[in-house]
Each structure stands twice: as C-alpha cells, then as structure tokens.
Amino acid sequence: MRLLLLIPALLLTGCLESVPVKRGFPDIPPELVKACPELQEATKDTKELSKLLDVVVVNYSTYYECRVKVDAWLQWHKDQKKIFEEVK
Amino acid sequence: MWLLSFLPDSFLLWVINIILVAGLVGALSSFFIKFIPPLMPYASSIKFVGIILLVAGVWFRGGYDVEAEWRQRVAELEAKIAVAEKKSKDTNTKIQTQIVEKVKVVKENTIVYRDRIKEVEKIIDKECKVAPEAIDIHNAAAKNVKAGETK
C-alpha cells in the first residue's frame, strides 16, 4: 500500500521539464558607445576676446553633441524597455 | 524527458499508446483471463507486467503532453523574440540616424558661429583685452578642476 503512494510521485516526474529560451541583450547604436570629448581650453597667451569666444563656442558645441547622445540614450532605453515588455 | 526530443512526434505517440493499451489490457486481465485456460498459470505475471506497463504508459503520456505543450510555448516565445529583435534593430537604426542628423546640425551651427566671430573679430577685440585670470578661470571650469584649486 505504501508503495502505491509512490506511483503518483513517480508519474509526476514525467511532467518535469526545463526549456531554455535564450534572449540576448539588445545592441547599442555605435554612436552611443563613444565617450563625450573633453572641453577645450584657451591658450595661456590669449589676449583677444574673439579667440576666447571661439573656444567657448566650440565648448558649447561639444555640450550639445553630448546632450544629443544623452537624449538618444534615454530614447533607446524607453524604446527597448517597451519592446522587452511586449514579449511575455 | 529531453531524450524524447530526438524522436519524431508521431512515432513517440504511437509507442506510448501501445504501452498504455498493453498495460491497460494486462492490468484488467484478471477479469477475462479465466476464459483463456492456457494463460491461467501466468495470470499474476501478466497482471503485474500490465500494471508496470500501465504506470509507464501514463508516465510517458504525461511527459509527452508536457513536452508537446512546452515545444509549442517555446516556438511561440521564439517567434515573439524574433519580432522583438527585429524591432530592436529598427529602433537602433532610427536612433543612430537621429544622432547623426542632430550632431550634423550642431556642427553646422558651430561653423556658422565661428565664422560670425571671425567677421566681427575686430569689433569684439577693439575695446577689450582678456586678463590672464579670465583664461585661468575659463580653463579650470572647462576641465572641471576642484573649485579651491583655481586661485
């Protein structure tokens, strides 16, 4: 009789299953893996305001390029998260 | 149960059904074996083997059904993942294009601003000389040097 109790347990082992479905981490656009550049410095002997202003403009440009990348990262995360959550 | 994946579905089902039916017949043999006198001496053995086959058949049938269900789920999930990966790549292409376009606009603007500085260079420099301290402060800010070290 005790042995009969083992039968349901034995039968249930037939239902054991593990199915691995692999899912890769999404790729990152190549432009996003480039680090933001350093800001430029004015040369020590700069006397003209126009030259200093030129460096400032270049640095503003660097900031805006970097901002584009940060915005793109946020967009990438939002989109990829949405796509990830669609698969259930 | 992973061994089942090496056999074709139809063959597997056929073998399992035969084991199940044989087991059922063997297990119920006590009801009809008395009508077949030559088999009477083997009645208990047939019943015992029948029960073993019935248990094995139920076990295999359960495993097969679960296997079939999992295979279907895996196929569905793999299809969804393939769609998601395509969407992900499309999104990346879109974002990459946007970055390139926006950076291009920033660079074009920079060229315009630098040209404008050159155009009015003489006006800007006419009444203003930059003190070396201003350069130091600018460079320290650009390099994000610790505030106390700028003096």
Side-chain angles (χ1 to χ4, degrees):
Chain A
M1 192 64 192
R2 282 181 191 169
L3 287 173
L4 287 176
L5 291 172
L6 289 174
I7 292 174
L10 182 70
L11 293 177
L12 284 173
T13 61
C15 303
L16 290 176
E17 187 71 48
S18 63
V19 182
V21 180
K22 286 187 180 175
R23 189 173 183 192
F25 191 79
D27 289 332
I28 299 162
E31 281 295 319
L32 285 183
V33 289
K34 292 177 190 168
C36 286
E38 292 285 325
L39 295 178
Q40 277 192 16
E41 289 182 77
T43 50
K44 285 277 183 187
D45 57 348
T46 304
K47 296 286 179 210
E48 298 85 4
L49 181 61
S50 60
K51 285 186 180 166
L52 181 62
L53 193 58
D54 190 59
V55 174
V56 171
V57 167
V58 171
N59 283 343
Y60 281 166
S61 161
T62 305
Y63 159 76
Y64 280 108
E65 279 180 38
C66 206
R67 184 180 155 170
V68 166
K69 286 183 186 176
V70 172
D71 289 346
W73 264 116
L74 296 173
Q75 186 65 42
W76 182 86
H77 178 261
K78 189 181 156 194
D79 292 349
Q80 296 296 345
K81 192 180 175 197
K82 192 181 163 195
I83 292 166
F84 180 84
E85 284 171 353
E86 279 173 2
V87 179
K88 281 179 183 172
Chain B
M1 293 309 289
W2 61 273
L3 283 170
L4 297 177
S5 60
F6 291 107
L7 298 170
D9 283 359
S10 54
F11 176 73
L12 204 59
L13 190 61
W14 187 70
V15 171
I16 290 168
N17 284 340
I18 284 179
I19 293 173
L20 208 56
V21 170
L24 198 64
V25 170
L28 299 175
S29 61
S30 58
F31 295 108
F32 57 83
I33 207 155
K34 55 191 169 193
F35 301 111
I36 314 166
L39 292 178
M40 281 295 282
Y42 310 107
S44 56
S45 303
I46 290 171
K47 192 177 176 184
F48 179 75
V49 171
I51 289 170
I52 297 285
L53 285 177
L54 184 63
V55 169
V58 170
W59 190 85
F60 280 125
R61 183 67 204 222
Y64 175 83
D65 286 347
V66 171
E67 173 83 9
E69 193 182 324
W70 274 110
R71 280 185 194 182
Q72 193 187 348
R73 282 194 199 176
V74 166
E76 284 171 11
L77 201 57
E78 280 175 348
K80 280 183 183 176
I81 287 173
V83 172
E85 282 176 349
K86 170 119 186 10
K87 273 187 188 177
S88 174
K89 280 183 183 173
D90 292 346
T91 302
N92 280 359
T93 309
K94 195 180 100 187
I95 289 173
Q96 174 76 12
T97 311
Q98 282 176 351
I99 295 168
V100 171
E101 282 172 5
K102 285 179 181 175
V103 167
K104 191 183 164 199
V105 170
V106 170
K107 284 187 186 298
E108 284 171 357
N109 286 344
T110 307
I111 291 167
V112 171
Y113 293 135
R114 294 181 84 182
D115 287 344
R116 279 171 65 182
I117 292 169
K118 279 178 190 166
E119 282 169 19
V120 292
E121 196 177 38
K122 285 179 182 171
I123 301 169
I124 293 170
D125 297 335
K126 192 177 173 184
E127 291 180 12
C128 185
K129 288 286 175 198
V130 179
E133 289 80 5
I135 302 296
D136 289 342
I137 292 168
H138 171 270
N139 290 350
K143 286 288 167 191
N144 196 26
V145 176
K146 200 175 173 185
E149 295 171 14
T150 53
K151 289 180 183 175

